Structures are given as C-alpha cells and as structure tokens.
Amino acid sequence: MRIFRGLLCAALMALTVMATVAAEPASAADTGTEEMAFVAKLNELRTAQGLAPLATNGALFDMARSWTGQMEAAKGISHNPSLAALGPAGWRRLGENVGMGYDVQGLHDAFVASPLHYRNMVDPAFDSVGVGVAHAADGQIFVTVNFMTTGAPEAAQATPSRARSAKAASARARRVCTRSSRGRLVCRAR
C-alpha cells in the first residue's frame, strides 16, 4: 500500500510539473493569437470603411510588445514617451493606441467608441501596424497598437504653436509623430 501511495504521489507531482510547463507556451501562444485578433478586427473595420488593410510590421510588433510589458509591470496604461525615438527605420508618421481590459472584443469596441483612438484606426495615411499584448495576474489584458506611415514625406509641416499645444495634450490623448520633408520630428496629439 505504501508503494502504491508513493507511486500515486509521484505521478500527481509529475502531472503537476507537466501542466505547469505546458501552461507557459500556451500563454505565449494565446498572446500571439490575441495580437493577430486585434489586427484582424482592425483590418475588418478598415475594409468596411473602404480603406486598405494595414500590413503587419515585425519592428512595430517588437516595439508594441516591449511597451505593453512595461505597462503591465506598472499595472497601468500610458503612452510611450519614446515612440518617435523607437520608431522603425523609414517611418514618416507614427500613432499609438493603448488600453487595458478583459478581452480582445471589448478592447476593440472601446477603441472604436473613442473618437481619438478610432481616428488612428481608420486613418488612411497609416499603412502598417504592430500589436503587443500582455496578461496581468488578474486576467486583464494590456495592449499597445502601433501605427506607421512609410514612404514619401508629407507636404504640410506643423507650425511651432501647434507643436507646443500637441506636446501639452499628449498626456491625455493619443500621439502621432511625423517626420517633415526636412527631417524635423513633429509629435502631436490628435
């Protein structure tokens, strides 16, 4: 009987260890699945509005994942103050949506309901996207969606007063950064 109990205990411990090891990759797989679900919902919205879908960009995904990890560690959301400095080579415009909630659909719906976030989602100038998702211990999802415009510089440049007001508003609204034809960096809230 002692041998049976010992074997049973060892088997249960082995199952527990196997379940723990198996849970880690599943969590990472779920995060990747959720990131692509955000992209799919975003592109469904864009095509329904007659806009081109956004291409995925690995550098934007890396940037979004890094910032999302920082937000999750801080247990709160904020915009990336280094968005422009971290942007991939060749960017002309960058935008960012950040949020936290309990499921992809709920977060997507909240972005659509917010005029500032929605504007990023349906901005025809954006051509690329990257998404980062992280899970908090309580089950909340943190998400960063980075948008990018590549290609030729924009003709219009922001005026200095507009750039100053954008800087003041960046703490409460989502940011868009543009590189002018002269290479000058202009970040503004929209």
Side-chain angles (χ1 to χ4, degrees), residues 106-187:
L107 281 162
H108 173 78
D109 292 345
F111 285 151
V112 169
S114 165
L116 295 175
H117 293 97
Y118 181 76
R119 190 180 297 161
N120 266 347
M121 297 169 83
V122 297
D123 188 327
F126 287 132
D127 55 33
S128 305
V129 68
V131 179
V133 169
H135 291 262
D138 68 356
Q140 277 196 314
I141 298 170
F142 288 79
V143 64
T144 302
V145 182
N146 287 328
F147 301 89
M148 181 172 69
T149 300
T150 56
E154 295 181 22
Q157 294 184 31
T159 62
S161 62
R162 186 171 175 191
R164 278 193 298 274
S165 67
K167 188 175 181 179
S170 67
R172 67 181 190 283
R174 62 113 172 123
R175 295 170 18 143
V176 173
C177 297
T178 305
R179 204 172 266 154
S180 71
S181 59
R182 295 181 187 161
R184 185 172 159 234
L185 180 65
V186 179
C187 294

Side-chain angles (χ1 to χ4, degrees), residues 49-85:
Q49 299 298 317
L51 299 168
L54 299 173
T56 57
N57 179 294
L60 288 176
F61 272 88
D62 291 344
M63 195 166 80
R65 287 172 180 149
S66 176
W67 185 248
T68 301
Q70 290 183 45
M71 290 191 308
E72 191 274 324
K75 300 186 184 347
I77 59 172
S78 60
H79 287 284
N80 186 341
S82 301
L83 183 68

Side-chain angles (χ1 to χ4, degrees), residues 34-65:
E34 290 167 338
E35 290 170 351
M36 293 314 295
F38 276 108
V39 172
K41 290 182 179 306
L42 175 59
N43 280 334
E44 287 171 14
L45 173 68
R46 289 178 63 88
T47 56
Q49 299 298 317
L51 299 168
L54 299 173
T56 57
N57 179 294
L60 288 176
F61 272 88
D62 291 344
M63 195 166 80
R65 287 172 180 149

Side-chain angles (χ1 to χ4, degrees), residues 2-20:
R2 276 185 161 170
I3 293 174
F4 178 72
R5 282 186 197 161
L7 288 174
L8 181 61
C9 194
L12 286 174
M13 286 175 55
L15 284 174
T16 302
V17 170
M18 287 174 38
T20 303

